[in-house]
Structures are given as C-alpha cells and as structure tokens.
Amino acid sequence: MTTPTSPALAIRVVPYDHPDAALLIEEVQALYAQRYGIHDVSPTDPAEFEAPDGLFAVAYDAAGAPVATGGWRMLGEGRAEVRRMYVRESVRRRGLARTVLAWLEESARAAGATTMVLETGRPQPEAIALYRASGYTDVSPFGYYAEDPKSVFLGKPLT
C-alpha cells in the first residue's frame, strides 16, 4: 500500500525487516547510542507490526529515497503504541515527522485504535516537543521502560 501524502512524500507500508526500514532503524539506533549511551534494548518482534495488530511504514521523498519511518502496534484495550519514529537528519525541520505521525494516527484509528501512546526519552527534547505540539499529554508509564527515569510517556485520544 502506498499513500501519497504530498507531492514530495509517499508513505508505504512495509515489513519491519524491509531493507529500507532496516536502514532507518539502524540510523535511529545509532542516534539512541549517541544520546543514551546504548541502543534501544526493548524486545521488538517484527510480527507485532503486521496487520491487523500493527503496521510499519517508510516515507520516501520525491526521488524515491527513504527519509522517515514509523510504526505502531496494538497493546490491547484500543491502545496503539508508536514505535521507531525517525526522520533522517538531512531532511529534518520540513514537517516530515508531523506528516508521518498524523499518518500513523489515522492508520491506527482505521484499525480500531481509540488511543495512541508512546514512550520517548528526556534526551530527545525535539521528539517530546513534536508529540506535545501534536496533542499528546502525559500518561501512566507502561512497557519495558516503565521504571526508567529518563523515559517520558505520552498519549492522545484518536476519537
């Protein structure tokens, strides 16, 4: 499935282990290592991002280059969790993260999610600012990093 979101950006659903997804996931892992001193070690099963309980996508620029990624997985009770949101440094500050996030929210809503939640970290202030500007507010800690003092937990109703 390809969804045109603007003349310069196309978002395509791909498997979590698709080569373009793997490339961007490796880049975001390098960013995590730089900011946190370690890669994200939370367990991630590629099957969690398969329909109907999840989805993973890569955004491509007008030249067909992969420039952003993101996915969601259902946690139960109508909650979907954003995972692996990332925009390549060379194309940041162009609204791509907002576009991908809105697309993820809409696709999760279409799959039956009523709330979108996420975990990010204090060493990523630009991510926190994006999510808060997009209507996300504090929620109770959950998941692998629930006890981590660097973690920030946010959520947004999708209804």
Side-chain angles (χ1 to χ4, degrees), residues 14-144:
V14 299
Y16 185 83
D17 57 359
H18 182 279
D20 292 337
L23 172 71
L24 295 174
I25 291 168
E26 185 60 32
E27 287 182 19
V28 76
Q29 287 287 6
L31 176 68
Y32 296 153
Q34 177 185 34
R35 296 204 182 175
Y36 296 90
I38 188 170
H39 288 179
D40 178 6
V41 295
S42 63
T44 303
D45 180 355
E48 294 175 317
F49 298 97
E50 295 174 3
D53 295 323
L55 168 148
F56 203 80
V58 172
Y60 295 87
D61 66 13
V67 293
T69 191
W72 57 263
R73 61 185 179 183
M74 289 292 200
L75 299 179
E77 300 174 7
R79 292 186 323 150
E81 179 188 15
V82 174
R83 298 281 294 168
R84 300 290 187 253
M85 274 280 302
Y86 174 71
V87 175
R88 285 188 139 165
E89 188 173 352
S90 63
V91 295
R92 290 185 189 153
R93 311 230 22 103
R94 298 181 189 176
L96 300 182
R98 287 181 191 279
T99 300
V100 171
L101 181 60
W103 188 91
L104 291 172
E105 291 170 353
E106 182 55 37
S107 64
R109 181 180 14 257
T114 56
T115 305
M116 188 72 94
V117 297
L118 62 94
E119 179 274 331
T120 189
R122 296 184 197 292
Q124 295 178 261
E126 65 283 338
I128 295 168
L130 165 72
Y131 295 129
R132 290 200 185 281
S134 299
Y136 286 75
T137 59
D138 294 326
V139 298
S140 298
F142 64 91
Y144 188 84

